[in-house]
PDB file of all heavy atoms in Angstrom:
ATOM      1  N   PHE Z 976      16.104  14.341  -9.992  1.00  0.00           N
ATOM      2  CA  PHE Z 976      15.963  12.888 -10.035  1.00  0.00           C
ATOM      3  C   PHE Z 976      16.189  12.385 -11.449  1.00  0.00           C
ATOM      4  O   PHE Z 976      15.803  13.044 -12.409  1.00  0.00           O
ATOM      5  CB  PHE Z 976      14.555  12.450  -9.638  1.00  0.00           C
ATOM      6  CG  PHE Z 976      14.164  12.848  -8.256  1.00  0.00           C
ATOM      7  CD1 PHE Z 976      13.218  13.841  -8.043  1.00  0.00           C
ATOM      8  CD2 PHE Z 976      14.734  12.228  -7.160  1.00  0.00           C
ATOM      9  CE1 PHE Z 976      12.855  14.206  -6.766  1.00  0.00           C
ATOM     10  CE2 PHE Z 976      14.369  12.584  -5.875  1.00  0.00           C
ATOM     11  CZ  PHE Z 976      13.431  13.579  -5.680  1.00  0.00           C
ATOM     12  N   SER Z1005       0.339  21.186  -5.686  1.00  0.00           N
ATOM     13  CA  SER Z1005       0.885  19.839  -5.697  1.00  0.00           C
ATOM     14  C   SER Z1005       2.004  19.736  -6.737  1.00  0.00           C
ATOM     15  O   SER Z1005       1.874  20.248  -7.844  1.00  0.00           O
ATOM     16  CB  SER Z1005      -0.237  18.866  -6.053  1.00  0.00           C
ATOM     17  OG  SER Z1005       0.145  17.580  -5.734  1.00  0.00           O
ATOM     18  N   GLY Z1006       3.103  19.116  -6.356  1.00  0.00           N
ATOM     19  CA  GLY Z1006       4.195  18.918  -7.298  1.00  0.00           C
ATOM     20  C   GLY Z1006       5.167  20.069  -7.373  1.00  0.00           C
ATOM     21  O   GLY Z1006       6.051  20.090  -8.227  1.00  0.00           O
ATOM     22  N   SER Z1007       5.040  21.046  -6.482  1.00  0.00           N
ATOM     23  CA  SER Z1007       5.939  22.197  -6.562  1.00  0.00           C
ATOM     24  C   SER Z1007       7.274  21.955  -5.867  1.00  0.00           C
ATOM     25  O   SER Z1007       8.131  22.823  -5.875  1.00  0.00           O
ATOM     26  CB  SER Z1007       5.254  23.434  -5.997  1.00  0.00           C
ATOM     27  OG  SER Z1007       4.770  23.180  -4.704  1.00  0.00           O
ATOM     28  N   GLY Z1008       7.447  20.795  -5.265  1.00  0.00           N
ATOM     29  CA  GLY Z1008       8.746  20.453  -4.686  1.00  0.00           C
ATOM     30  C   GLY Z1008       8.838  20.656  -3.191  1.00  0.00           C
ATOM     31  O   GLY Z1008       9.921  20.618  -2.624  1.00  0.00           O
ATOM     32  N   LYS Z1009       7.690  20.815  -2.529  1.00  0.00           N
ATOM     33  CA  LYS Z1009       7.703  21.058  -1.087  1.00  0.00           C
ATOM     34  C   LYS Z1009       8.240  19.844  -0.332  1.00  0.00           C
ATOM     35  O   LYS Z1009       9.149  19.964   0.491  1.00  0.00           O
ATOM     36  CB  LYS Z1009       6.288  21.382  -0.598  1.00  0.00           C
ATOM     37  CG  LYS Z1009       5.615  22.516  -1.356  1.00  0.00           C
ATOM     38  CD  LYS Z1009       4.236  22.828  -0.810  1.00  0.00           C
ATOM     39  CE  LYS Z1009       3.232  21.707  -0.933  1.00  0.00           C
ATOM     40  NZ  LYS Z1009       2.759  21.486  -2.307  1.00  0.00           N
ATOM     41  N   SER Z1010       7.697  18.681  -0.633  1.00  0.00           N
ATOM     42  CA  SER Z1010       8.134  17.482   0.086  1.00  0.00           C
ATOM     43  C   SER Z1010       9.562  17.106  -0.276  1.00  0.00           C
ATOM     44  O   SER Z1010      10.352  16.739   0.591  1.00  0.00           O
ATOM     45  CB  SER Z1010       7.213  16.301  -0.232  1.00  0.00           C
ATOM     46  OG  SER Z1010       5.910  16.582   0.164  1.00  0.00           O
ATOM     47  N   VAL Z1011       9.876  17.192  -1.557  1.00  0.00           N
ATOM     48  CA  VAL Z1011      11.219  16.811  -2.002  1.00  0.00           C
ATOM     49  C   VAL Z1011      12.266  17.653  -1.293  1.00  0.00           C
ATOM     50  O   VAL Z1011      13.261  17.136  -0.778  1.00  0.00           O
ATOM     51  CB  VAL Z1011      11.346  16.959  -3.528  1.00  0.00           C
ATOM     52  CG1 VAL Z1011      12.794  16.845  -3.953  1.00  0.00           C
ATOM     53  CG2 VAL Z1011      10.504  15.910  -4.236  1.00  0.00           C
ATOM     54  N   GLU Z1142       2.432  18.567   5.515  1.00  0.00           N
ATOM     55  CA  GLU Z1142       0.973  18.489   5.438  1.00  0.00           C
ATOM     56  C   GLU Z1142       0.406  17.621   6.558  1.00  0.00           C
ATOM     57  O   GLU Z1142      -0.258  16.623   6.298  1.00  0.00           O
ATOM     58  CB  GLU Z1142       0.545  17.940   4.065  1.00  0.00           C
ATOM     59  CG  GLU Z1142       1.256  18.664   2.942  1.00  0.00           C
ATOM     60  CD  GLU Z1142       0.556  18.528   1.610  1.00  0.00           C
ATOM     61  OE1 GLU Z1142      -0.621  18.179   1.604  1.00  0.00           O
ATOM     62  OE2 GLU Z1142       1.204  18.814   0.583  1.00  0.00           O
ATOM     63  N   LEU Z1240       7.981  18.943 -14.647  1.00  0.00           N
ATOM     64  CA  LEU Z1240       9.296  19.334 -14.140  1.00  0.00           C
ATOM     65  C   LEU Z1240      10.416  18.826 -15.036  1.00  0.00           C
ATOM     66  O   LEU Z1240      11.572  19.150 -14.855  1.00  0.00           O
ATOM     67  CB  LEU Z1240       9.481  18.822 -12.720  1.00  0.00           C
ATOM     68  CG  LEU Z1240       8.500  19.439 -11.719  1.00  0.00           C
ATOM     69  CD1 LEU Z1240       8.618  18.776 -10.370  1.00  0.00           C
ATOM     70  CD2 LEU Z1240       8.730  20.937 -11.599  1.00  0.00           C
TER      71      LEU Z1240
HETATM   72  N1  LIG Q2650      11.911   9.964  -6.244  1.00  0.00           N
HETATM   73  C1  LIG Q2650      11.436  10.721  -7.250  1.00  0.00           C
HETATM   74  N2  LIG Q2650      11.760  10.468  -8.520  1.00  0.00           N
HETATM   75  C2  LIG Q2650      11.298  11.230  -9.531  1.00  0.00           C
HETATM   76  N3  LIG Q2650      10.474  12.278  -9.351  1.00  0.00           N
HETATM   77  C3  LIG Q2650      10.103  12.578  -8.107  1.00  0.00           C
HETATM   78  C4  LIG Q2650      10.560  11.817  -6.978  1.00  0.00           C
HETATM   79  N4  LIG Q2650      10.025  12.342  -5.858  1.00  0.00           N
HETATM   80  C5  LIG Q2650       9.266  13.385  -6.272  1.00  0.00           C
HETATM   81  N5  LIG Q2650       9.323  13.533  -7.607  1.00  0.00           N
HETATM   82  C6  LIG Q2650       8.654  14.574  -8.383  1.00  0.00           C
HETATM   83  O1  LIG Q2650       9.044  15.820  -7.882  1.00  0.00           O
HETATM   84  C7  LIG Q2650       7.966  16.735  -7.941  1.00  0.00           C
HETATM   85  C8  LIG Q2650       7.819  17.434  -6.635  1.00  0.00           C
HETATM   86  O2  LIG Q2650       7.232  16.534  -5.717  1.00  0.00           O
HETATM   87  P1  LIG Q2650       6.882  16.904  -4.228  1.00  0.00           P
HETATM   88  O3  LIG Q2650       6.461  15.651  -3.570  1.00  0.00           O
HETATM   89  O4  LIG Q2650       7.973  17.676  -3.594  1.00  0.00           O
HETATM   90  O5  LIG Q2650       5.642  17.838  -4.408  1.00  0.00           O
HETATM   91  P2  LIG Q2650       4.829  18.559  -3.268  1.00  0.00           P
HETATM   92  O6  LIG Q2650       5.050  19.999  -3.459  1.00  0.00           O
HETATM   93  O7  LIG Q2650       5.174  17.990  -1.957  1.00  0.00           O
HETATM   94  O8  LIG Q2650       3.360  18.218  -3.690  1.00  0.00           O
HETATM   95  P3  LIG Q2650       2.136  17.694  -2.792  1.00  0.00           P
HETATM   96  O9  LIG Q2650       1.434  18.930  -2.352  1.00  0.00           O
HETATM   97  O10 LIG Q2650       1.324  16.918  -3.759  1.00  0.00           O
HETATM   98  O11 LIG Q2650       2.695  16.896  -1.678  1.00  0.00           O
HETATM   99  C9  LIG Q2650       6.749  15.937  -8.370  1.00  0.00           C
HETATM  100  O12 LIG Q2650       6.505  16.219  -9.727  1.00  0.00           O
HETATM  101  C10 LIG Q2650       7.163  14.501  -8.217  1.00  0.00           C
HETATM  102  O13 LIG Q2650       6.574  13.727  -9.223  1.00  0.00           O
END
Side-chain angles (χ1 to χ4, degrees):
Chain Z
F976 299 109
S1005 196
S1007 53
K1009 306 182 297 287
S1010 299
V1011 168
E1142 311 200 18
L1240 296 173

